[in-house]
């Protein structure tokens, strides 16, 4: 387990773990960062938090029905619940539009013949002039074509500003396009974090065919 994500390697249908509260003031928006789910049933996974104390929260990663989850992970933002039919490719994306000072339009969309039974996303609104926060989205189509699937995909986005010290970086899925011919396996990782940027990975493994995936990141420097 890392400081910002839970990776339950022997996941059951209902699973939870106590984790320390991170040192930022962002509350508890939660999102998925790691999925390894059997293809034989519909994709059903949900991340959420409860039982808050002064120093810990209980993080849940739950499946339901006949879904077989092998492992999963979560962090503090973006897509947090998915219910996708097993008979077609898994395609889903979430994004915001029509953003104003008072609200926005939240989208959870599919493509092609994907059947999405349920989808939930978390969001975090921040003033644009906060100097200790940077956020943007990234996608593996930034570095390769969607129809040239490969297991390892990496990029090096810049924050658009230089922090005074190395920030905490949170990242979670906002886009998935994965073939249904094998188990759903994908993870979002980050490394080489500096004051000006970091390295992301959106990787699969085994016989999973990963056409494309994307994520959002939030970089937060403590004052």
């Amino acid at each position: 387990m890392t400081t910002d994500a839970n990776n339950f390697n022997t996941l059951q249908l209902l699973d939870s773990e106590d984790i320390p509260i991170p040192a930022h003031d962002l509350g508890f928006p939660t999102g998925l960062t790691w999925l390894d789910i059997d293809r034989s049933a519909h994709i059903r996974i949900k991340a959420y938090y409860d039982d808050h104390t002064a120093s810990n929260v209980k993080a849940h990663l739950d499946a339901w029905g006949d879904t077989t989850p092998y492992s999963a992970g979560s962090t503090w933002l973006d897509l947090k619940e998915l219910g996708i039919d097993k008979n077609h490719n898994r395609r889903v994306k979430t994004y915001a539009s029509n953003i104003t000072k008072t609200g926005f339009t939240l989208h959870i969309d599919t493509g092609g013949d994907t059947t999405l039974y349920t989808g939930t996303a978390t969001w975090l609104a921040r003033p644009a002039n906060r100097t200790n926060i940077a956020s943007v989205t990234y996608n593996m189509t930034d570095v390769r074509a969607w129809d040239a699937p490969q297991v390892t995909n990496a990029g090096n986005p810049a924050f658009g500003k230089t922090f005074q010290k190395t920030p905490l970086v949170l990242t979670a899925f906002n886009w998935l396009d994965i073939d249904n011919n094998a188990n759903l396996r994908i993870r979002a990782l980050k490394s080489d974090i500096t004051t000006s940027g970091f390295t992301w990975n959106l990787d699969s493994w085994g016989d999973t065919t990963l056409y494309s995936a994307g994520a959002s990141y939030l970089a937060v420097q403590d004052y």
Side-chain angles (χ1 to χ4, degrees), residues 152-182:
T152 302
N153 308 270
N156 303 98
F159 294 137
K161 64 178 70 178
T162 300
F163 291 106
Q164 294 180 346
K165 56 184 179 179
T166 303
L168 171 70
V169 175
L170 309 173
T171 186
F173 301 127
N174 61 29
W175 176 305
L176 297 174
D177 186 356
I178 302 173
D179 203 292
N180 71 330
N181 63 359

Side-chain angles (χ1 to χ4, degrees), residues 26 35 42-43 47 83 99 103-104 108 119 121 150 166 206 221:
L26 303 179
L35 295 171
H42 298 328
I43 302 301
I99 301 170
F104 67 99
I108 302 177
Q150 59 191 46
T166 303
Q221 176 194 286

Side-chain angles (χ1 to χ4, degrees), residues 11 27 32 48 56 59 62 66 80 96 109 129 174 188-189 191 197 209:
L11 200 66
L32 297 165
Y48 63 98
N56 291 273
D62 295 350
D66 58 353
K80 74 170 191 175
D109 299 344
N129 61 357
N174 61 29
L189 305 172
S191 60
T209 302

Side-chain angles (χ1 to χ4, degrees), residues 62-181:
D62 295 350
W64 62 97
D66 58 353
T67 296
T68 303
Y70 297 116
S71 64
S74 68
T75 186
W76 303 94
L77 70 165
D78 251 315
L79 277 173
K80 74 170 191 175
E81 179 180 357
L82 290 174
I84 302 176
D85 195 283
K86 66 179 181 180
N87 295 308
H88 303 286
N89 291 354
R90 301 92 169 211
R91 309 177 187 93
V92 62
K93 62 181 178 180
T94 183
Y95 60 97
S97 65
N98 303 322
I99 301 170
T100 69
K101 293 180 179 179
T102 58
F104 67 99
T105 301
L106 176 66
H107 302 259
I108 302 177
D109 299 344
T110 63
D113 55 0
T114 297
T115 301
L116 180 67
Y117 295 118
T118 183
T120 305
T122 56
W123 55 272
L124 181 69
R126 64 173 181 89
N129 61 357
R130 282 282 294 271
T131 59
N132 71 319
I133 296 178
S135 61
V136 77
T137 64
Y138 57 89
N139 196 291
M140 63 179 57
T141 56
D142 298 337
V143 298
R144 68 158 174 83
W146 74 269
D147 57 354
Q150 59 191 46
V151 171
T152 302
N153 308 270
N156 303 98
F159 294 137
K161 64 178 70 178
T162 300
F163 291 106
Q164 294 180 346
K165 56 184 179 179
T166 303
L168 171 70
V169 175
L170 309 173
T171 186
F173 301 127
N174 61 29
W175 176 305
L176 297 174
D177 186 356
I178 302 173
D179 203 292
N180 71 330
N181 63 359

Side-chain angles (χ1 to χ4, degrees), residues 1 5-12 14-19 34 58-62 69-74:
M1 185 171 69
N6 316 293
N7 295 316
F8 298 175
N9 293 319
T10 56
L11 200 66
Q12 306 171 45
L14 298 173
D15 216 337
S16 64
E17 182 175 329
D18 290 321
I19 63 170
W34 179 306
K58 186 176 291 292
H60 296 260
L61 282 164
D62 295 350
Y70 297 116
S71 64
S74 68

